[in-house]
Structure formats: structure tokens, C-alpha cells
Amino acid sequence: MTNTKQAFTPYTISKDERLFFSIPLYQRLFEWGEEQIVQLLDDLYSSYTRNCNSPYYIGMLTAKETGKNKELVDGQQRFTAMFLLGIYFGWKKFLYVSKETSQILRLQFTAREEDKEYLKAKVEGKEYSYTNQKMEKGLEYISTYLNKKLDKKQEKKFGEYIFHHLTFFLSELPDEYSSKDLNTYFERMNTSGKSLENYEILKVDIISRLSSNKENYTLLWNACSIMEKMILRKHNNEPLDKLRNRYKESILNIIENGHIDNAFEKPQTRFDIEEEDDSDDIDEITAPKTIGSIPISQENPYKRVKRRTDEHSLLTFPEFLLQVLYICLNKDIDEHEEDGIIIEGMYTTDFFDVRKLCETFRWAFNKRGLDAEKFMQKLGLCRLITDYFIIRMNDEDEEPYPFKLYKGEEKDKMKVRMFLAMLYSASSAMTYHMWMPELLTYLEDFVSKNRILDINASDYLFKLKEIDNKWHPFKDDLAKYLTYSTIDRYWFWRIDYYLWEQRELFFKEQDQIKVVEKYVFRRNRSIEHIAPQHPKDEFGDKNRFNWDDETLSEKRDCLGNMVMISSGQNSSLTNSCFEVKHTVMNNYASGKGHGTVESLKMLYVYSKYKNWSLDNIDEHQRFSIDFLKISYEKDTDNWKTFASSLS
């Protein structure tokens, strides 16, 4: 069995000169981006402002004792983020142990000498020839967040809070696990897409609260938890219309009678259904397992990876559980008074924190009287509706947003696909609740009232836009919020969606229109200045964009001078002049380059302008704000009027 040690904080680690951690070779390196780091800092700051003496739990880390190090089998993303915080705040005794002739880093890497030396240079404040881009960006995100939110005095106090109260527990794997077994265990854990702890623990709690039908509710839970697959699957040679009808009957059975029996597939052999590994999935999650009880397997982990499908739901299962809970609570989680009694509420940041899943459900049962049976029925219903009406992600470029079931004209369906993809890209675990519960409720009401699943695609799109506009309302002073230091990346994705939707009005060349039609929304995007922040001495950029003149700083950082692209493209184009970027973009658009068009706003800029100036920034700023304003208007003819005014 695994052995759970005491709680650790940066402070307690710094007091122990024998405590070292390592990241094994089979582990991927640090992958956290801005979203994860900002969420961690938001959570920490929320905990700090509520009670500066209370611990903040970052969760359970899993390790294997290997010589002098604790090898991180699970949790290295969180630990590395903690280490980056240590570099930023200068927690010397946490970062390394001083010996007579050297300083030994607390965090080591197996067979990754360059990453080790890079991190060592960062700790010592020195330059090094190699840069780990992900860690470098991580430090940048930390710095940007703290500089924007706190002054130096507040920052110091916040750093002290993190040092003493950022807490994790360490769970150690059995000694008999060899390196090969650890590699297999790690691959199994990371290819399963499932948590080994929180929602399996929650399942036991919820099932124990049911008075009857526990077996079927357990099977329903197990089926819902496999977010990589449809909950009702297409049988061999089954016509698609028959599968659609099964979804319809299952949804109506829950809505009208509360019956869940047809809401999921019973365990079957692999020969009964098209996906050959379905029976493996059902068997694998039937009973909760502790880490220590996972048997050592000799199966090649790469074989398991090969069997996986690239398709998956927009949400993880813990995220989905919280959306359903939010619906069951009528989206009311605030503190309020009933009959003179104060009913305890929850902060949104706590409620939707997947790490606090069990705690949130206990609160819902104890403080809001959640009914376990009604929750399970709603879970099955929402999962069926999600499978039928909401896109699933797919890494294949030819069909990135599959709609296997939903009927409709392909042109209109594609608009729904793209809008949902835009919402997904702009969302996180902490913001799904701003649109997903309302959409699921709307779709449930539609099916309940009409007893059909064939919703009109244009009506569906109208509702999506209505929900989104409520989430992100247009304001007359919107421009002041859309600057480099304050802008929400959502606004770039919104512009890209409407440029895609109205592509024939804003792109004149057929080759460009074809590129726009193939555009795919991706989350891994960062903000890039069109006119560089630090101009090189090319094409007179230092004179063209003299940012040393403080009166021009607003122009440098306005929406008109920004686009959003991937970190990779951002790194390759950073500080390049417009003419260089123009050439690169034209190559992407023509298919001659090695990259792809990652921003339709960027494509629009480089198709309209051959060079870039302060006047061009002003012009594109006016265009961007007017473009956003038009996107809120219901009269689609306004697009034509707006586009013609640009000629």
C-alpha cells in the first residue's frame, strides 16, 4: 500500500537538508501555460485574502524513493510551478542545499543536463546558453500576474504566505516497484484520462446515499466517467438514425420518468461494438483502486497509448460533475437567508476547483440538501445531451470538432461547431459555468417541450450567441479594457470567429478564403505585438515606433497592435519587423511555409497592409472596436454595411 506522509510546504522542505526531488526520464517536462499558472495564483490569492494563516492545499503528489531523491511519479507540474515561485521570491533554502563546495538543487532531472543547468542558472541569477521555454514563460506569467496585482510590500507578504502555507501531501509507492513498473504505472495513469482519487472517492459517497438501484447507478457513473467515448455507442452495422433514436428515447425516459436504464451501455464484449477496447474501459474502472493496490503489469505502455482515441469531450469528468451539480443547485451557490436562517454559500473559485470536488459535494449534500438520486439522473441526462448536441474535440485537422449525431444543414452546423470551439478555447475549469449549464438547460427544455432532438441549427447558434453576449457584454468604454496588460484572450477568439463567419466580406482572395475555412481554434495561444515591443534596427523600426516616447505606450499596447498566436510562432516572430512577419504570414497562407495561420485577425492585418505605421495602428484599432460592436447586433445586414464602408 502507499504510505501517506505529513504535509509539506516550501518552508518545511527548506528546514530539511536531506530532502530532494527528481523528475524521471519517462515524465514529460514542465507543460503548464498561462491558464494553469494564473489559476494557481488566483486560488492562492483568494485563500490569502480570506485567511492569511490558513493552508492552501495543492493536492497529493506521488513519489518513489530512489536513493537520495524522491522521484516524482505524479505531481511534477505542480512541484515545478512551486519551484518557479521559489525562484521568483528567492526562497534560497527551499531551492537548494548549500554544501562546502557546491549548492545542490532540490529539484533534479534524470538525463536532462541542459534543463538542470538552465534551472541552476535561474536560481543563481546567471545567464545560460540554453533556455527551457516553458519554464521561462512560467516565470514571466508569475512576474506579470504579481506586478499587475500587487505592489512590492503586498507582494512580499503574499510570498511569505505561499512559503509557509502552500501545502501538499506526499504519497509514496511501494519499494517493490521497479523502474520499468514505474514507467508502466505512469503511462497507465496518464493515458487513462482519469483521476485515481477524487471522483472515485466521490462515487462511493454518492452511491452510499442512494436507497435503491445502486448497481445501475454505479454502471451509469462508470459510463459517464469515460469522457473519451460517447455514452451510447454505435453498434456494428447499426444505422445512424437508429442510434439517434436510442439517444432520443434515453433522454426522454429520464426527463419524463426518471428512468436511467437505457442511458448507458451495459458491459459488453469487444465484438458487440465498433470500438474494440470498450470492454477494457468498463472493466478498468469498475471498482476504486488505491495506488498501492494497482498490480504490476508487464503490458507495453506504448501499446495502450496506440489504442487510445484522439477524440474527447470538452470537459474532464470532474469538471463535468461540477457543471451538473451547479445545474442541480439552480446555479445558486451564494450565501443567502431562508426563514431567518443563514444558508452557507461557496466562493465560485472554490466551487469549481476540481481539486476540491469531494469537499464541494459534501457542502452540497450537507448545506443545500442535494438529493443523490436526482443528481445521478441529471448526470445521465446531461451526459446524453452533451454527447448529442455539443462538439467533441479531435486532434485530426480534417475534422477537429466532430458532430457525430446532430442533424442539420452542414453550413449551419459548421457555424455551431465553430462557435462552440470558440467558447471552449476561451474557457477554463473556472469559467465553463458561464455558458455550459445554461446551454445544457436550454437543450433539455427544447427536447422536453418538442419531444425531438432535431433543433434548428440557426436557432441553436442564436442561443449560443445570446449566452455568450450575456457572459461578455459590449461596453461603450470596452477599448480601455482591451490593452496588453488587461485584455482577456477571449476577445481575440471572438474576432476570429466572426472573421471566419463573415469571411467572404473581409477576405477578397479565394486562396485566403480557403485558408480561413480551414481555421481551427486552439487554446495554446499567446499575445503578440504587431509592431514589436522592442524594435530592432530593421526598416527603420526604432524610429517608426519610438516607444521611449511615453505618449505612445497606449498605442503600442492597444488591440489594434495585437494578435494572438501560439507560443511557438510568438517566439519565432518576437521583435521581428512587420515586413518580415508579412513575408512569413504570406508563406503560411499560401502553404509554402512550415507553419499555419493561427490568427484570422493576423491574417486580416497582413492581407490588408503591406507595411505598418502608427496611423495603421489607429486605423486597425478603430476597425477592431467597430468590428466587435457589430458582432453584438442581431441584424446580419449590418455586416455588409460595415464591410462596404471599409472599401
Side-chain angles (χ1 to χ4, degrees):
M1 297 296 290
T2 56
N3 180 22
T4 302
K5 303 288 187 182
Q6 77 271 20
F8 289 90
T9 66
Y11 171 74
T12 60
I13 291 171
S14 70
K15 303 292 283 185
D16 189 344
E17 294 190 351
R18 298 167 299 172
L19 194 55
F20 296 91
F21 300 83
S22 66
I23 296 175
L25 187 59
Y26 58 78
Q27 270 272 28
R28 60 180 178 167
L29 280 175
F30 186 65
E31 290 291 337
W32 270 18
E34 184 177 16
E35 179 183 353
Q36 292 88 350
I37 289 174
V38 168
Q39 181 176 321
L40 173 62
L41 289 168
D42 274 340
D43 291 349
L44 281 164
Y45 189 71
S46 176
S47 179
Y48 167 67
T49 54
R50 285 200 303 274
N51 185 346
C52 64
N53 294 312
S54 66
Y56 174 82
Y57 295 104
I58 200 171
M60 181 81 73
L61 276 62
T62 305
K64 173 73 168 65
E65 194 81 36
T66 55
K68 296 181 179 180
N69 296 334
K70 294 187 182 298
E71 189 172 85
L72 292 169
V73 180
D74 181 42
Q76 68 97 353
Q77 301 289 330
R78 285 168 287 163
F79 192 90
T80 306
M82 193 188 314
F83 205 82
L84 294 179
L85 285 168
I87 292 173
Y88 181 86
F89 287 110
W91 302 331
K92 292 182 179 180
K93 291 186 177 181
F94 166 75
L95 296 171
Y96 57 80
V97 173
S98 296
K99 299 296 183 182
E100 289 183 3
T101 58
S102 63
Q103 295 174 341
I104 306 174
L105 290 185
R106 297 273 190 183
L107 182 59
Q108 301 288 320
F109 298 90
T110 303
R112 289 184 173 124
E113 195 63 22
E114 283 193 325
D115 291 297
K116 175 184 174 182
E117 291 302 319
Y118 161 80
L119 207 57
K120 184 179 179 182
K122 280 293 175 185
V123 168
E124 295 174 351
K126 298 177 181 178
E127 293 293 327
Y128 185 62
S129 57
Y130 167 77
T131 299
N132 182 304
Q133 291 293 340
K134 291 286 187 179
M135 293 185 189
E136 191 77 8
K137 280 289 183 183
L139 286 166
E140 181 182 319
Y141 297 141
I142 291 169
S143 176
T144 300
Y145 179 94
L146 294 172
N147 290 338
K148 186 165 61 175
K149 200 171 190 75
L150 304 169
D151 61 33
K152 288 300 178 183
K153 186 176 180 181
Q154 293 170 325
E155 183 181 291
K156 183 179 180 181
K157 289 183 178 179
F158 183 43
E160 289 173 353
Y161 169 79
I162 298 174
F163 183 66
H164 289 279
H165 298 291
L166 177 56
T167 308
F168 68 90
F169 294 93
L170 197 64
S171 189
E172 296 191 29
L173 289 169
D175 292 338
E176 60 264 30
Y177 266 51
S178 67
S179 297
K180 181 179 178 181
D181 301 326
L182 286 170
N183 185 67
T184 302
Y185 165 76
F186 177 77
E187 289 293 342
R188 293 193 65 169
M189 184 172 64
N190 281 277
T191 59
S192 68
K194 302 187 295 291
S195 166
L196 293 175
E197 296 178 29
N198 59 3
Y199 74 76
E200 287 295 345
I201 295 171
L202 178 61
K203 176 175 74 171
V204 174
D205 183 27
I206 290 180
I207 298 303
S208 69
R209 295 174 185 269
L210 297 168
S211 57
S212 61
N213 206 14
K214 292 187 178 184
E215 181 179 352
N216 270 0
Y217 278 122
T218 301
L219 291 173
L220 173 64
W221 178 282
N222 291 343
C224 285
S225 71
I226 308 173
M227 300 299 282
E228 294 90 346
K229 300 181 185 298
M230 311 286 280
I231 192 170
L232 296 180
R233 301 161 197 170
K234 187 174 181 294
H235 297 170
N236 277 334
N237 302 317
E238 180 183 26
L240 198 55
D241 280 343
K242 185 174 180 180
L243 177 59
R244 289 190 180 109
N245 195 54
R246 286 202 286 131
Y247 265 92
K248 173 185 170 182
E249 290 178 356
S250 298
I251 291 172
L252 288 174
N253 264 333
I254 296 179
I255 291 175
E256 296 175 356
N257 309 308
H259 293 166
I260 63 158
D261 291 12
N262 296 320
F264 57 93
E265 300 284 356
K266 304 296 190 294
Q268 299 170 333
T269 68
R270 66 179 59 193
F271 302 105
D272 293 328
I273 44 185
E274 287 185 345
E275 292 106 350
E276 69 173 24
D277 59 333
D278 284 345
S279 60
D280 291 345
D281 286 332
I282 294 289
D283 293 342
E284 194 174 331
I285 65 163
T286 300
K289 296 179 179 180
T290 63
I291 293 172
S293 67
I294 296 175
I296 295 172
S297 171
Q298 301 305 317
E299 183 182 0
N300 184 342
Y302 298 101
K303 181 180 177 183
R304 293 184 61 83
V305 173
K306 189 175 180 181
R307 282 213 313 253
R308 300 288 300 160
T309 173
D310 288 328
E311 184 181 315
H312 58 87
S313 175
L314 300 189
L315 279 65
T316 65
F317 187 50
E319 289 168 347
F320 187 69
L321 287 168
L322 291 170
Q323 304 308 309
V324 177
L325 177 61
Y326 195 52
I327 293 171
C328 288
L329 299 179
N330 297 314
K331 298 187 286 187
D332 178 16
I333 61 173
D334 294 330
E335 184 177 290
H336 61 275
E337 185 176 318
E338 287 183 12
D339 301 324
I341 300 173
I342 298 296
I343 307 298
E344 181 182 321
M346 283 191 74
Y347 288 102
T348 301
T349 52
D350 290 332
F351 186 92
F352 290 103
D353 187 340
V354 294
R355 295 165 298 184
K356 300 176 181 178
L357 184 71
C358 295
E359 178 185 331
T360 299
F361 270 84
R362 281 197 298 271
W363 168 84
F365 281 120
N366 297 335
K367 302 297 182 179
R368 293 299 169 89
L370 178 67
D371 184 289
E373 186 173 31
K374 289 182 179 178
F375 171 79
M376 290 298 295
Q377 290 169 2
K378 186 66 76 173
L379 176 65
L381 176 61
C382 288
R383 181 61 203 275
L384 288 163
I385 290 173
T386 298
D387 279 3
Y388 195 93
F389 290 104
I390 297 178
I391 61 169
R392 300 172 65 77
M393 303 308 292
N394 189 317
D395 293 335
E396 298 296 328
D397 288 339
E398 64 268 19
E399 192 183 16
Y401 317 124
F403 249 144
K404 289 187 174 178
L405 298 174
Y406 174 53
K407 282 186 175 181
E409 291 293 328
E410 193 58 35
K411 187 175 181 180
D412 292 332
K413 276 179 64 177
M414 184 57 76
K415 290 180 181 178
V416 175
R417 287 185 189 185
M418 292 294 281
F419 205 92
L420 283 167
M422 185 270 287
L423 291 178
Y424 166 71
S425 297
S427 302
S428 70
M430 291 295 175
T431 59
Y432 284 124
H433 72 278
M434 294 180 173
W435 62 275
M436 181 68 80
E438 187 170 348
L439 177 60
L440 292 174
T441 302
Y442 164 75
L443 293 169
E444 178 186 343
D445 289 344
F446 171 83
V447 176
S448 180
K449 291 174 184 176
N450 299 283
R451 295 184 56 79
I452 60 172
L453 302 187
D454 298 328
I455 188 173
N456 183 282
S458 61
D459 291 340
Y460 191 171
L461 181 64
F462 181 86
K463 185 62 181 180
L464 283 172
K465 290 182 177 181
E466 183 181 77
I467 293 171
D468 182 42
N469 290 346
K470 184 165 66 175
W471 176 15
H472 293 102
F474 183 83
K475 302 174 183 178
D476 290 334
D477 60 347
L478 182 62
K480 76 178 185 181
Y481 300 102
L482 307 185
T483 64
Y484 184 66
S485 60
T486 60
I487 192 169
D488 184 333
R489 291 184 299 165
Y490 160 83
W491 298 102
F492 292 101
W493 278 304
R494 184 180 181 110
I495 289 173
D496 275 4
Y497 170 79
Y498 284 100
L499 280 172
W500 174 86
E501 185 188 85
Q502 304 296 330
R503 55 192 175 275
E504 294 183 358
L505 292 177
F506 295 98
F507 296 95
K508 305 303 180 185
E509 302 292 334
Q510 282 302 310
D511 287 347
Q512 292 174 356
I513 293 175
K514 288 179 181 178
V515 169
V516 176
E517 286 175 345
K518 295 179 180 179
Y519 177 72
V520 175
F521 284 97
R522 299 290 190 205
R523 278 181 157 182
N524 59 333
R525 298 292 181 258
S526 58
I527 297 170
E528 159 79 355
H529 286 79
I530 301 173
Q533 288 178 283
H534 306 289
K536 298 177 183 177
D537 196 13
E538 298 176 296
F539 292 87
D541 265 12
K542 286 191 175 181
N543 293 325
R544 243 196 308 189
F545 308 110
N546 180 22
W547 305 132
D548 291 337
D549 183 347
E550 293 183 2
T551 62
L552 298 179
S553 61
E554 288 186 9
K555 191 166 296 193
R556 177 195 62 202
D557 293 337
C558 73
L559 180 60
N561 191 44
M562 292 188 294
V563 292
M564 193 169 66
I565 55 179
S566 71
S567 297
Q569 279 194 6
N570 199 341
S571 297
S572 65
L573 297 176
T574 295
N575 296 331
S576 296
C577 66
F578 182 88
E579 286 75 11
V580 170
K581 294 177 182 178
H582 189 277
T583 301
V584 172
M585 200 65 191
N586 283 342
N587 285 337
Y588 290 165
S590 65
K592 295 177 183 177
H594 294 294
T596 58
V597 174
E598 298 179 343
S599 164
L600 298 188
K601 184 178 186 289
M602 190 174 191
L603 180 63
Y604 176 81
V605 167
Y606 289 104
S607 64
K608 182 175 177 63
Y609 300 99
K610 293 184 178 178
N611 52 58
W612 199 239
S613 66
L614 297 177
D615 288 341
N616 293 149
I617 292 175
D618 287 338
E619 183 176 271
H620 188 58
Q621 172 73 359
R622 289 191 295 271
F623 166 84
S624 299
I625 299 301
D626 290 344
F627 186 92
L628 285 171
K629 186 175 183 180
I630 295 293
S631 72
Y632 285 84
E633 297 183 8
K634 297 177 182 179
D635 187 351
T636 55
D637 288 338
N638 289 329
W639 281 117
K640 295 178 182 177
T641 303
F642 176 58
S644 63
S645 70
L646 303 172
S647 303

